[in-house]
Amino acid sequence: VISALNQVCLMIKGRDRPVIAKKLRNEFGVDLSLLMRLLPNVSVLLPELVSPAMRVEVGEAMNARSVCFTLLRFVRVVSSPRHPIMLFLDDMQWADSTALDVIHTILSDTM
């Protein structure tokens, strides 16, 4: 799921890019470094924010709830009824419970 959403960042082009970049700045604020840690391709949308100060140490642990919430916020920003995101997930039988929780959280969102 993280890999698929990371690729979504590369698919955002044209007039949508500055609009989504602004929404990401507004939604995440100081938490942008957390988002960039999960989805490094966000730097394509926000190149001006990539600096050593924005980098989060790789050794820092992220709990599953934090990952879920961060990815959900990202999906809310980049998708809309006019521009939905469609993910094709294969081999779900191999997914662990944490990955399934992330998918369930995203799919169950009503906002």
Side-chain angles (χ1 to χ4, degrees):
V1 174
I2 291 173
S3 177
L5 292 176
N6 196 36
Q7 291 300 312
V8 167
C9 298
L10 300 176
M11 296 176 190
I12 299 169
K13 298 178 180 170
R15 292 180 292 179
D16 292 335
R17 185 174 276 182
V19 172
I20 289 178
K22 182 179 179 181
K23 287 181 180 180
L24 285 171
R25 276 188 226 98
N26 291 340
E27 173 66 28
F28 284 92
V30 296
D31 292 337
L32 271 171
S33 62
L34 178 62
L35 178 64
M36 292 175 113
R37 181 173 170 207
L38 282 173
L39 307 174
N41 289 339
V42 166
S43 63
V44 171
L45 300 170
L46 303 163
E48 73 279 3
L49 296 180
V50 179
S51 70
M54 286 293 293
R55 300 196 193 284
V56 177
E57 289 298 316
V58 175
E60 293 180 26
M62 293 176 63
N63 65 39
R65 179 171 277 157
S66 177
V67 169
C68 261
F69 185 61
T70 301
L71 293 176
L72 179 60
R73 290 168 62 195
F74 174 77
V75 169
R76 286 177 180 169
V77 169
V78 300
S79 66
S80 68
R82 191 168 182 205
H83 296 286
I85 292 177
M86 182 182 295
L87 299 176
F88 294 95
L89 303 172
D90 194 14
D91 294 328
M92 293 299 299
Q93 72 272 20
W94 304 115
D96 63 7
S97 62
T98 304
L100 293 174
D101 287 343
V102 169
I103 293 165
H104 182 264
T105 298
I106 293 171
L107 293 178
S108 300
D109 186 41
T110 58
M111 281 188 71

